[in-house]
Amino acid sequence: NVTGVQTCALPILQQANAFVLEGIYDYTYSPKTSFQIIASSNVNESVYEGVGFYKSYNLYATCEHKILSNLVLNLGALYARSDYPHETYVFVSSGREWKKRNDNIYGGDVSLQYDFRTWFSIYAKYAFKYRDSNIRGFEYSNNRISGGLKLKF
């Protein structure tokens, strides 16, 4: 799955001059275990005033293992980087200055899924994400527990 150059009507994103690409690699190790790696490069519109857009690079790896015929364990790991090409006016200990922002994002998740039927299952998931930014105030960590039902039609 490869996407070409992204065309956008927003003038600020037209300045990005970046290549948009996504690749997916699937590998089946055994009938019970499979791996997937997803890598992408993208241009994103920023919600921060004066920033316009940022470039993001993502790498996500996942492993799926069938513990039983109807119980599936999923493990995932994430690394992402966001680069903001425009300088942002920020507060620092010595006052204010202009800086180009960049973020490194690390994460992981684990989930269990129980299949009642091929078309109906329930799941529970824990996900963690940490963003490390070179500009104070943009760092965060996020722990999330979720669950739900899946219906396939």
Side-chain angles (χ1 to χ4, degrees), residues 18-30:
F19 193 70
V20 175
L21 178 70
E22 181 178 86
I24 300 172
Y25 176 73
D26 281 313
Y27 176 70
T28 301
Y29 178 74
S30 71

Side-chain angles (χ1 to χ4, degrees), residues 24-131:
I24 300 172
Y25 176 73
D26 281 313
Y27 176 70
T28 301
Y29 178 74
S30 71
K32 289 185 169 190
T33 307
S34 63
F35 300 93
Q36 187 178 66
I37 297 174
I38 303 169
S40 65
S41 169
N42 202 357
V43 177
N44 307 281
E45 184 177 7
S46 177
V47 297
Y48 299 105
E49 184 179 349
V51 174
F53 69 91
Y54 63 96
K55 298 176 183 179
S56 64
Y57 311 93
N58 304 287
L59 182 63
Y60 181 69
T62 184
C63 174
E64 179 180 286
H65 181 72
K66 291 184 179 181
I67 299 170
L68 303 170
S69 63
N70 57 351
L71 185 63
V72 179
L73 172 68
N74 284 291
L75 300 171
L78 166 74
Y79 172 74
R81 180 170 174 85
S82 298
D83 292 322
Y84 294 75
H86 297 94
E87 291 185 331
T88 304
Y89 200 51
V90 297
F91 293 96
V92 293
S93 58
S94 60
R96 298 180 187 174
E97 66 180 37
W98 289 94
K99 284 179 93 171
K100 284 188 178 182
R101 177 177 155 200
N102 56 57
D103 302 332
N104 290 296
I105 300 166
Y106 309 93
D109 57 71
V110 60
S111 68
L112 273 176
Q113 177 176 305
Y114 185 82
D115 300 326
F116 290 98
R117 302 275 187 262
T118 56
W119 54 271
F120 176 65
S121 61
I122 62 171
Y123 71 92
K125 181 177 183 177
Y126 166 74
F128 170 78
K129 190 183 286 185
Y130 173 72
R131 178 170 69 187

